[in-house]
Every structure is written in structure tokens, then in C-alpha cells.
Amino acid sequence: VGWNIQLMDSLDKNKIKDYLGIFDYVVGNPPYIRIQHLGKERRERIQKDWTFCKSGSTDMYIAFFELGLDLLNETGKLGYITPDTYFKTETAKPLRRYFMEHKIVKKIIDFNYHQVFNDATTYSAITILDKNLKQNKFYYFNGYEHDVKYIDKIDLADLNYDKWTLAPNNVIKRIKEIETRGVPLGKIAEIHV
């Protein structure tokens, strides 16, 4: 079997369109680059071409999630190791919303504060997606290597689009109880970062 290797800017939709929807698997380690670290023209093109990157100072790896999903056929599977920031950032809200509405998250392995790469300080997670899954729950592994802290099945109904709190189900339920008590500080005072 011959290899079909192409050298191209994979975030250029004009060049990649011939490959959309044809792969069974997409596996990768997308670049961890904040969009503000790119040139103006490249930034504008990414924000124009990629739905998950329309607003804010997004991360380039968010566009790669969309690219990977576009490259998959209807039953395709994707596995990426990326920063875990998409769990909580405002700019990743469209990505979280897509995952939840399409019910494609199969498994997340969260390395938390354990550094996976020797030459980069980042909090990493492996995300496994299955376009044909259509399930309300996904496996969540919190830990690293042989020291798995816990494994749980997270129910999408227990998450919200604004921010994912990934923890054992009993912890998520307790957090929801706490959040419904009293008045949030943001309702009675202005908060500035």
C-alpha cells in the first residue's frame, strides 16, 4: 500500500476541501498556539473559515477539532491530545456546545497538573470522539499513566455550555447544589480580573 502524503496548510479550507468526509480515523497533536500569536491575515482567515473560532482570542487547536471532524466520514473517530483549556474557556463554548448537541464524546483522559511533554508546560487531555456515538454519557479518566485517580461516566445533562466541571458524578451533583444556594457574587458586585 502506498502512502499519500500531502504538504499543505491544513487550515486553508480551499486546499483541504477535497479531503473532507473521507477518513475513518483522525489522530493528532494539534499546535498549541494562541491566535493572537499569529499574523493578522492568518488570524482573520482562521476566524472567518472556522465556526468554532469565530470570536475571541481562541486557540489554534480549536480549529483543528473542527478540521478533524470535517475530515471524518459519518462513522469516523477522532483522537487528539490537546490542552484541557477547552473545558472552560469562553472561546471554546461553541466547541463544547457542538460536542454536547451531537453527543460524540466517547472518552476524555485528563492529565490535570501532570506534565505530559518535557518541553512544554501545559495541562493536557486526550479526547476521543466518535461521530456515530450519539450517547449522553462519556468515560472520564482523571489521572495519568498507572496512577488513575478515578474513572467515571459523565452525563452530558450534568454539564453546561459555559464551563465543563469534569469530576466524579457525586462531586458534580454536590457542586450543582452549592451553586443553587445564595446569590452569586457577580449579581451583587462588579468583578474585574
Side-chain angles (χ1 to χ4, degrees):
V1 174
W3 288 86
N4 181 4
I5 298 175
Q6 301 289 327
L7 177 61
M8 69 176 78
D9 177 351
S10 57
L11 291 183
D12 185 336
K13 277 220 172 172
N14 293 326
K15 293 179 182 176
I16 205 74
K17 66 183 178 197
D18 293 338
Y19 300 94
L20 300 181
I22 65 169
F23 294 100
D24 296 322
Y25 299 96
V26 171
V27 178
N29 179 5
Y32 301 9
I33 301 171
R34 302 279 302 159
I35 200 166
Q36 68 262 32
H37 295 179
L38 302 173
K40 183 180 180 205
E41 182 180 315
R42 180 119 169 103
R43 266 195 323 265
E44 289 173 353
R45 192 177 68 207
I46 288 171
Q47 288 180 313
K48 178 180 142 297
D49 288 349
W50 299 99
T51 305
F52 298 158
C53 298
K54 293 284 184 208
S55 63
S57 62
T58 189
D59 288 293
M60 200 169 175
Y61 79 87
I62 300 291
F64 277 87
F65 266 115
E66 187 172 346
L67 170 65
L69 289 166
D70 285 350
L71 291 172
L72 290 175
N73 61 31
E74 292 176 7
T75 60
K77 293 158 186 56
L78 178 146
Y80 278 168
I81 184 166
T82 66
D84 68 1
T85 55
Y86 82 84
F87 299 164
K88 52 196 165 286
T89 61
E90 180 68 23
T91 59
K93 191 188 280 189
L95 178 66
R96 290 190 299 273
R97 180 180 298 273
Y98 184 91
F99 287 171
M100 293 173 74
E101 288 175 354
H102 291 84
K103 301 174 183 176
I104 60 172
V105 180
K106 184 171 186 169
K107 185 183 301 181
I108 293 176
I109 302 165
D110 188 356
F111 294 99
N112 280 320
Y113 57 88
H114 302 287
Q115 298 302 303
V116 177
F117 302 106
N118 292 331
D119 57 347
T121 303
T122 187
Y123 300 105
S124 302
I126 294 174
T127 305
I128 308 293
L129 306 175
D130 181 339
K131 282 182 86 169
N132 198 36
L133 189 65
K134 310 291 187 254
Q135 292 195 12
N136 292 319
K137 294 184 178 188
F138 64 89
Y139 285 102
Y140 177 64
F141 297 79
N142 182 339
Y144 69 105
E145 294 175 13
H146 303 293
D147 180 25
V148 175
K149 302 260 191 289
Y150 59 81
I151 302 169
D152 216 333
K153 263 201 145 176
I154 304 289
D155 193 326
L156 291 172
D158 289 334
L159 302 176
N160 66 52
Y161 301 122
D162 292 326
K163 181 180 176 182
W164 281 3
T165 301
L166 299 178
N169 287 316
N170 61 333
V171 173
I172 291 173
K173 285 178 181 25
R174 186 72 178 131
I175 289 170
K176 279 186 159 188
E177 290 172 14
I178 292 168
E179 288 176 342
T180 59
R181 291 184 195 162
V183 178
L185 184 59
K187 298 273 187 191
I188 59 174
E190 270 189 54
I191 300 172
H192 298 279
V193 177

